[in-house]
Amino acid sequence: MADYDRRGGGGYNPKKRRYRDDDEGDRRGGPRRRFDAPPHVRVRKQLLAIAENPMRPWHEEVLSIANLFTDNWEDELLRTNFVDLILQLAVEQPMKTPFLAAVVLVANTNKPQIVDILLAKLTSTLETKIAEGDWRDVKLYLKLAGCLQSCLEGDGVFPVLEDLFSRAVDLQTASSEDTIGTELVKIILLTLPYVMVTGPTQWQQKAADLMEKTEIIAGEAHPLQTLIEPYHPEAGDESPVASQSFISLLQSQLQNEANNGWALTCLPRPWELPVEEVEQQEKIANAEKHTLPPVDIPQTVVAGPRPLFPEIYFSVYVNQDVESTPPLTNIAASLIRDALIDTINVLNFNRNVTARFLIELDCYFAPRTFAARATPFDKIREIEPPKSSWKPEDVAVDAVFSQLFSLPNPEHKLVYYHAVLTEACKLAPAAIAPSLGRAIRFLFRNSHRMDLELSNRFMDWFSHHLSNFGFTWKWTEWVDNVYLSNLHPDKAFIMGAIDKEIRLSFAQRIKNTLPEPYQSLIGPEKEKDVPDFKFADERTPFAAEGKEIAALLRRKAPEEEIEPVIERIHSLALDNSLDPLVASTDVFVTSVLHVGSKSLSHVLAAIERTKERLTDAGATSEAARTQIISSVMEYWSAHPGVAIAIIEKLLNYSILTPQAVINWAITTYAGATRGEALARGFVYEMVFNTVIKVTSRLRQVLQKATLPEAMIDDETIEAEINGMRSLFRAIDDALVAWATGSKDEMIEASDSLGEGDGNSETEKLVKRWGERWLRVFKRRAAIEEAFIVEARKERERKAAAAAAEPTAEAPAPADNMVVDTGDVATEATV
């Protein structure tokens, strides 16, 4: 009974009552007591959702939030949360910045103290971000300050912009290859429109003077710009659009806008209230002005956590007969793109929210900036000026692709941008899918002109995207390309995409989604779950030994039982004038792969058990290392994705060296196929992944070396740097031979065909592939060299800062302190 009492209280449990007592009958059906959330919760909820509802006018939301805030001014928690949330939203949801500023401007009419509190914290945070080199946050905080320009005293934000420009000039004067100065000028130019939209007539002269200065830097092409051009057309061909740097484009657009009186028609003005709110509008105009606290910009600024490179304006909707995105002459092209890119990259932790912001893009810009959502492209043709023909879906998709095809590297992993497009397509399939279809067709038409790295990114995204939507695509549009040479870029793209699709599914399913002409691209060997074991055929040399080793490996026999079989292979190889080590390596590696063919985990377990023998074989000679790679690629030839994964594991185990992988791919295998291997996506993938593995390791070493407690000596650092440089030299030497047609295999092929002049179509295509490969890895080498320079500067800077700090054992002398000089005690005044 005691236990029962403890559990339920002795027989009466109000939670289990099925019927009310009689005395409660008069309360049945009465209204439930309403619970009102505290003011700070309601303000937070409304601020987070501001401008998201297209059915509610902006001014109603702004006035509602501002009045709720000022009516509860005495709530200290509300005041603190309000300021923190405004600054947080300005960074995390930058498209809402003008609306946040409007709430602050309305609140300023009743409680002007809030503006002083906000500005104090804004400038303090701004100084911290400048010192850290977090330039995106600097830009977004200045954007908020620019939207508050109308309530600032004096010149408002302009002194801060002038100081930033002074630093930019100093940096550019010191080095023409500096990227921080270019980034500062970009921040200035992107802040100006938000300042001017608050009062275009008042600040025209200040803006004109500042833009005259920025023209010096913005108008000059950056030396690194040629490395990051998205298009690399061959001689005699043209890019689909003239490439323009983002900063020079922005400068010219702002100049056009200045000539038109700073109309800035795309930017919202939520602080401009309708006629019925004329009294409130007068209050905003006559509200108290505030002094922007000075912002201290250090003499030495740092690049920050994100590497800085010049930006190229990239679009997949150029040269259309109807403008579905803002033209490059319009400032809207840059302002909308900038806000979208910031939203995409800041919200990388939640792809679903990011996709929703993309879909609701038109909520955050001026009315009539865009056409109605999901308007078919055919209907866009019928829209007549002054109505806008800009499709919000095209603008959003264009922004994502600009990041997906950003060189040298996008800010986040490529799969994040894949996921954003997938989620957007799921949220609004009728609107997004047609836009993606036109983007895919544009990219395919120009894939042979694109930088090879971008072409492979397109292939990866295309196959990944199809895998999320049943692998359906209108393959009949490209059917003519099936009959082209395997060296043709369009045929190479199709073959690479189908291979990636098979990796994400299985061969038979992909085969069923393809029209008849494509069926031949998927051979019967791709439909096998496990490749054939070549030593099962008695006609294969060393067949008996191969089967015997496989059986020994399968029962996990000790090394002592395997060694006699290996010795027998060596003896047979010598009798047939073969390299004994190469022969035994082929038999052993193929047997290991066959035993572990059930799954990747099985093969890793098999490699782990035989790692010692594999390591010894790889360390013996270059020929043995090459044979290890050849055996892996031959066994998994039908599924190169599996082969690449195994090669990467062998690199991790140090069984293979990066140099061996590069030599096999660009020299051995490419030579055996007379250059055709350069057109195969998996070969590029293998080489590219190997290079990334080497450069990532070097970066880790350099970054650790900058830490105070680093235990990495200079000798180790130099060894890593020299290893990377040696790898890039080997790649360069091999690719130059292919790109210039001086490779022995190319000369022999031309002679055998009687076309020794090097003008055959096949040779032209091989040269073109060599040029495209060469450009990718020259850029990679240049990027890593730049990283090495910056890492050394950072290490020296930290070392100097540490040396300048007083130590605990030798404190800095105080005023009028007696200092012992060793001979006599003298009074030193510091």
Side-chain angles (χ1 to χ4, degrees), residues 521-572:
L521 301 180
I522 302 179
E525 68 279 359
K526 288 185 177 290
E527 299 181 32
K528 297 178 181 179
D529 294 334
V530 176
D532 293 332
F533 185 44
K534 69 179 182 179
F535 296 113
D537 186 350
E538 296 295 339
R539 294 168 296 180
T540 305
F542 313 109
E545 290 75 17
K547 287 185 285 187
E548 187 176 353
I549 289 178
L552 292 171
L553 291 173
R554 190 171 283 111
R555 66 181 179 85
K556 301 178 183 177
E559 181 66 24
E560 293 76 14
E561 295 184 36
I562 297 175
E563 183 61 30
V565 186
I566 297 294
E567 292 297 333
R568 196 160 71 242
I569 296 173
H570 287 175
S571 177
L572 290 171

Side-chain angles (χ1 to χ4, degrees), residues 468-768:
N468 289 304
F469 298 96
F471 295 100
T472 54
W473 173 248
K474 295 180 179 179
W475 290 101
T476 52
E477 296 179 6
W478 300 343
V479 72
D480 292 341
N481 296 293
V482 176
Y483 307 106
L484 296 172
S485 162
N486 288 348
L487 279 167
H488 195 283
D490 292 346
K491 174 76 171 290
F493 174 85
I494 291 172
M495 293 174 67
I498 291 174
D499 174 62
K500 294 287 177 76
E501 284 188 304
I502 292 173
R503 296 189 204 180
L504 297 168
S505 181
F506 53 92
Q508 188 57 52
R509 183 185 179 191
I510 302 305
K511 205 169 185 178
N512 293 337
T513 66
L514 298 172
E516 181 60 34
Y518 291 85
Q519 301 290 318
S520 60
L521 301 180
I522 302 179
E525 68 279 359
K526 288 185 177 290
E527 299 181 32
K528 297 178 181 179
D529 294 334
V530 176
D532 293 332
F533 185 44
K534 69 179 182 179
F535 296 113
D537 186 350
E538 296 295 339
R539 294 168 296 180
T540 305
F542 313 109
E545 290 75 17
K547 287 185 285 187
E548 187 176 353
I549 289 178
L552 292 171
L553 291 173
R554 190 171 283 111
R555 66 181 179 85
K556 301 178 183 177
E559 181 66 24
E560 293 76 14
E561 295 184 36
I562 297 175
E563 183 61 30
V565 186
I566 297 294
E567 292 297 333
R568 196 160 71 242
I569 296 173
H570 287 175
S571 177
L572 290 171
L574 288 171
D575 293 342
N576 290 278
S577 302
L578 300 174
D579 186 329
L581 185 59
V582 169
S584 63
T585 300
D586 181 34
V587 175
F588 187 76
V589 171
T590 304
S591 300
V592 170
L593 296 173
H594 182 64
V595 170
S597 59
K598 189 174 291 185
S599 69
L600 189 59
S601 59
H602 280 75
V603 75
L604 291 181
I607 292 172
E608 185 69 38
R609 289 196 302 270
T610 59
K611 183 171 66 173
E612 186 175 346
R613 175 172 286 278
L614 290 172
T615 303
D616 291 343
T620 304
S621 70
E622 182 66 31
R625 288 193 291 272
T626 301
Q627 185 57 54
I628 292 174
I629 301 171
S630 297
S631 298
V632 173
M633 299 305 296
E634 180 186 356
Y635 184 78
W636 286 107
S637 59
H639 300 282
V642 177
I644 292 172
I646 295 172
I647 294 295
E648 290 182 1
K649 297 301 179 183
L650 294 175
L651 281 169
N652 292 343
Y653 285 129
S654 299
I655 295 169
L656 295 176
T657 62
Q659 190 83 40
V661 176
I662 300 303
N663 290 340
W664 180 89
I666 306 180
T667 303
T668 305
Y669 184 56
T673 58
R674 294 186 172 179
E676 188 177 313
L678 298 179
R680 297 178 183 173
F682 71 87
V683 179
Y684 171 85
E685 183 181 354
M686 180 194 298
V687 174
F688 188 81
N689 290 354
T690 303
V691 169
I692 293 299
K693 190 181 290 288
V694 171
T695 56
S696 297
R697 173 175 169 76
L698 174 61
R699 289 186 176 222
Q700 289 174 3
V701 170
L702 291 173
Q703 287 168 347
K704 287 179 181 178
T706 62
L707 301 177
E709 66 278 6
M711 300 296 291
I712 301 174
D713 56 20
D714 292 340
E715 187 177 342
T716 302
I717 295 173
E718 289 303 316
E720 292 289 341
I721 292 174
N722 291 334
M724 183 202 73
R725 287 172 175 166
S726 176
L727 186 70
F728 277 119
R729 278 196 300 271
I731 294 173
D732 189 84
D733 292 343
L735 291 177
V736 164
W738 288 113
T740 58
S742 59
K743 194 72 174 172
D744 293 343
E745 290 82 359
M746 293 179 68
I747 296 171
E748 291 171 5
S750 297
D751 291 342
S752 64
L753 296 173
E755 296 175 344
D757 57 355
N759 291 324
S760 70
E761 188 63 28
T762 298
E763 189 166 350
K764 286 180 181 178
L765 288 171
V766 171
K767 286 181 181 179
R768 174 64 179 155

Side-chain angles (χ1 to χ4, degrees), residues 280-331:
Q280 183 65 53
Q281 189 71 65
E282 289 180 0
K283 288 182 179 180
I284 294 175
N286 299 322
E288 181 180 332
K289 303 289 184 181
H290 304 266
T291 301
L292 181 70
V295 177
D296 180 34
I297 301 175
Q299 287 295 328
T300 303
V301 291
V302 296
R306 293 187 298 120
L308 301 175
F309 287 94
E311 296 178 39
I312 302 292
Y313 191 94
F314 180 85
S315 175
V316 295
Y317 297 112
V318 294
N319 300 332
Q320 297 184 133
D321 53 351
V322 178
E323 287 182 347
S324 63
T325 57
L328 297 187
T329 55
N330 195 315
I331 187 64

